Amino acid sequence: MAFVYNFPLFSIILSMFSAIISSVLSGKWAKRVSLIMVCLVLLMSSGLLVYTHSTGEAVTYMMGHFPAPWGNEIRFGVLEAVMAVFFSIVMLLSLLGGMSHVFADVEDTKTNLFFVLIDMTMSSLLAMIYTNDLFTGYVFVEINTIAAAGLIMIRQHGHSLVASIRYLVMSSIGSGLFLIALSILYGITGELLMVPARDGVQVLRESGNYSLPLLLSLGLMSVAMAIKSGLYPFHTWIPDTYGYSTTTASAVLSSLVSKAYIILLIKIYVRVFGYAYADAGHILNVLFVLGLVAMVMGSVEAIRQRDVNRMIAYSSVAQIGYIYMGLGLGTEAALMASLFHIMTHAATKSMLFVSMTGLREASGGKTDRRSLSGAGYRNPLAGITFLVGSLSMVGFPMLSGFISKLLFARAAIGVSGKMLPALLVLALSTILNAIYFLRVVITIYSPQGSDAPLDNVMDDEGHVLTPEAYQEAERAKLQTEGVFLAPKAGALVKNGPLMSVAMVLMMLLNFFLGLCSGPITEALLAGLRIFG
């Protein structure tokens, strides 16, 4: 056995032990442990990618060398390695981009706990990518849920606490449905490892036994992962969750956490039940319709928002719809497009949230469109980064979003009964994306309007406020809610070195996905062909 076979397990264990170690460290040392951990995971994942790409084979690693039903398995090939590398890169850039705000938004006594939660999130993401065991997948789904809820509430002001409770309730419903489905599947097949479970499913399909429980199990798993990833109409937890978290938490939650659930669902479709069975049971048709609806409704809701953070959050609803639309098409090309869009959305959405933080700092801590007028001039790097992210979401050539939409359009061509609605909604969604993203871009590069409040704005005692008094009152209100405050609106803002580096690297990553998509899509296709 090659030593590189141990890298997936090492990565998961390293992340978990980093969380344990960070729990007894100070915030600054916990930060260093997390950064070192993510870098080491990236290094091991890159080595694994080189190895799997050179061999072109999938490897099943039996933990403890015990076969089923006693052992636990990790399975990896090119696809898993690509996702592990990409998730590590996005996690690292999200940490760097929001590092200074962690210490500003989180109490000093709790900063180490923030990094404990980041480490737990990283371990659960890797486990869902690599696991070949359904119950292990469920265990790390729960770990991911708890860690994500902690990341939301750690700011400890009203909005974040309500958002974390809403997220925990919705996510717990999804977890419960997944456990019920897993229990049904185990009861009729007697297997938890994916490949033996697939053999059991095949036997039941051929014999015609337990056809209804089998379909019910797959249906419940699909609904569970749809809830946890935020597919419309199960999206109600997304706006507050992404809008009121710290910069790093918003970037990680929107870019990585929801995508890991989709990757686990793809494993279940491909490796356990088979796409043909999901198609025959009309589950793919349901996902296709919900994906199309999400692409439109998520964009419509984004257009209605005045707060740009919430607009970006609703945009995620639309982008999740793209991924499920691809799953619903049910072809290899569409599945590859969905996987590529997972990478596109992860790279772009983290970039948008980090750059939005820089624009917020240049606007007195506010994120409404009116307050952001001219913010692109006051924080030039954040403005350029937001511009690149917006153009990517719209589908501008040379950027990753353009490649995603091109892949979806090509995949839809020739799919009976689904080609026309997919292409029409893809075009409509692109127009809607342009409306709300480019509107904000125009705003941040427009001359700054008056900062004066509306006429006759009064305080609680009935005194009319001057513009200066109004600004001070608003800043004091934000400060009591635990919101990070930058210099007053109108001041030129310089980003910290880590945040600047992160934004530059995020832009380069987006251009890399757009300009070098050929080798990436070839690797994804090669990984898909040995994925099952």
Side-chain angles (χ1 to χ4, degrees):
M1 181 182 73
F3 184 72
V4 71
Y5 290 3
N6 298 287
F7 283 179
L9 179 60
F10 287 171
S11 299
I12 297 169
I13 296 298
L14 176 62
S15 303
M16 296 182 69
F17 270 95
S18 296
I20 296 171
I21 294 170
S22 295
S23 65
V24 297
L25 298 177
S26 66
K28 291 184 178 180
W29 277 104
K31 173 193 73 174
R32 293 169 184 151
V33 169
S34 293
L35 289 173
I36 292 171
M37 177 272 294
V38 175
C39 290
L40 289 175
V41 169
L42 176 58
L43 184 63
M44 287 189 286
S45 301
S46 300
L48 190 69
L49 176 58
V50 172
Y51 177 82
T52 54
H53 189 268
S54 63
T55 61
E57 298 178 353
V59 176
T60 301
Y61 178 95
M62 291 187 296
M63 297 172 63
H65 305 289
F66 295 109
W70 301 282
N72 199 337
E73 289 184 355
I74 287 174
R75 180 184 171 95
F76 56 88
V78 176
L79 180 57
E80 291 89 343
V82 168
M83 288 299 167
V85 168
F86 194 78
F87 275 36
S88 300
I89 292 173
V90 174
M91 176 66 81
L92 179 60
L93 295 180
S94 298
L95 278 172
L96 295 177
M99 189 66 72
S100 61
H101 297 82
V102 171
F103 293 92
D105 291 337
V106 181
E107 291 181 14
D108 292 341
T109 57
K110 295 182 173 64
T111 50
N112 66 322
L113 297 180
F114 178 87
F115 293 104
V116 168
L117 295 169
I118 286 291
D119 298 342
M120 290 174 60
T121 301
M122 190 68 187
S123 68
S124 59
L125 295 175
L126 293 169
M128 282 188 274
I129 290 172
Y130 286 128
T131 187
N132 200 37
D133 182 278
L134 288 166
F135 189 75
T136 300
Y138 166 74
V139 169
F140 279 96
V141 162
E142 290 293 80
I143 293 174
N144 206 31
T145 298
I146 295 170
L151 288 173
I152 300 165
M153 72 170 60
I154 201 164
R155 288 185 72 179
Q156 292 189 302
H157 65 77
H159 290 306
S160 63
L161 293 174
V162 172
S164 66
I165 293 172
R166 180 174 294 152
Y167 171 81
L168 196 56
V169 169
M170 291 295 294
S171 196
S172 295
I173 293 172
S175 298
L177 293 176
F178 188 82
L179 183 59
I180 292 171
L182 185 57
S183 301
I184 294 172
L185 184 64
Y186 180 67
I188 59 180
T189 64
E191 301 288 352
L192 289 174
L193 296 180
M194 292 185 181
V195 175
R198 177 185 62 194
D199 296 337
V201 168
Q202 185 65 29
V203 170
L204 292 176
R205 288 178 57 191
E206 292 175 354
S207 65
N209 296 326
Y210 299 108
S211 57
L212 183 58
L214 198 62
L215 183 61
L216 179 61
S217 177
L218 180 57
L220 288 176
M221 287 184 180
S222 301
V223 173
M225 294 298 102
I227 292 174
K228 296 183 78 68
S229 57
L231 176 64
Y232 190 92
F234 312 113
H235 68 290
T236 52
W237 54 268
I238 284 182
D240 290 344
T241 297
Y242 297 170
Y244 296 121
S245 301
T246 65
T247 301
T248 294
S250 295
V252 170
L253 291 168
S254 62
S255 301
L256 302 180
V257 170
S258 58
K259 310 307 182 301
Y261 299 131
I262 298 175
I263 291 175
L264 183 60
L265 182 61
I266 292 173
K267 280 188 178 184
I268 292 168
Y269 281 155
V270 174
R271 201 173 289 174
V272 179
F273 288 92
Y275 249 92
Y277 181 74
D279 192 19
H282 302 292
I283 291 177
L284 295 187
N285 292 337
V286 175
L287 293 183
F288 178 74
V289 172
L290 291 179
L292 294 182
V293 173
M295 291 165 65
V296 175
M297 294 306 298
S299 296
V300 170
E301 288 293 334
I303 291 173
R304 296 173 58 188
Q305 302 305 308
R306 294 185 178 182
D307 185 279
V308 179
N309 266 342
R310 291 177 65 84
M311 184 207 78
I312 299 172
Y314 272 110
S315 169
S316 291
V317 177
Q319 301 305 316
I320 293 293
Y322 278 79
I323 299 171
Y324 278 96
M325 183 267 288
L327 297 183
L329 286 172
T331 65
E332 183 182 70
L335 183 54
M336 189 270 292
S338 291
L339 289 168
F340 188 87
H341 196 65
I342 287 175
M343 300 171 68
T344 290
H345 186 250
T348 307
K349 197 55 57 116
S350 58
M351 179 167 63
L352 286 170
F353 274 113
V354 171
S355 61
M356 190 61 229
T357 299
L359 296 174
R360 182 191 72 191
E361 291 179 4
S363 305
K366 298 179 183 179
T367 54
D368 61 284
R369 289 202 308 273
R370 180 175 180 271
S371 299
L372 291 171
S373 294
Y377 297 111
R378 299 190 296 274
N379 194 330
L381 181 57
I384 294 172
T385 306
F386 190 88
L387 171 63
V388 172
S390 299
L391 292 177
S392 179
M393 286 287 92
V394 173
F396 194 79
M398 298 190 298
L399 295 169
S400 60
F402 172 78
I403 302 299
S404 286
K405 296 187 178 187
L406 179 62
L407 292 174
F408 280 123
R410 290 174 58 183
I413 295 175
V415 179
S416 177
K418 297 179 179 179
M419 178 180 72
L420 185 59
L423 294 177
L424 287 176
V425 174
L426 192 62
L428 176 60
S429 177
T430 299
I431 294 172
L432 295 176
N433 290 344
I435 291 174
Y436 60 85
F437 271 117
L438 297 186
R439 180 175 62 183
V440 176
V441 170
I442 292 172
T443 298
I444 66 174
Y445 284 109
S446 296
Q448 184 177 4
S450 173
D451 286 321
L454 298 175
D455 292 338
N456 298 324
V457 175
M458 299 183 181
D459 61 14
D460 294 336
E461 298 178 357
H463 300 129
V464 177
L465 295 177
T466 64
E468 294 77 11
Y470 177 80
Q471 290 179 13
E472 290 300 327
E474 288 294 303
R475 287 173 60 81
K477 179 181 176 182
L478 291 169
Q479 185 69 63
T480 59
E481 294 180 352
V483 176
F484 178 84
L485 291 182
K488 294 181 181 180
L492 184 65
V493 172
K494 293 184 179 180
N495 305 296
L498 291 180
M499 187 176 181
S500 298
V501 169
M503 286 193 286
V504 171
L505 292 178
M506 285 172 170
M507 286 190 284
L508 292 177
L509 178 61
N510 212 290
F511 277 107
F512 174 77
L513 289 174
L515 297 175
C516 303
S517 60
I520 298 173
T521 54
E522 289 175 6
L524 291 176
L525 279 175
L528 272 177
R529 287 164 185 162
I530 59 174
F531 192 60

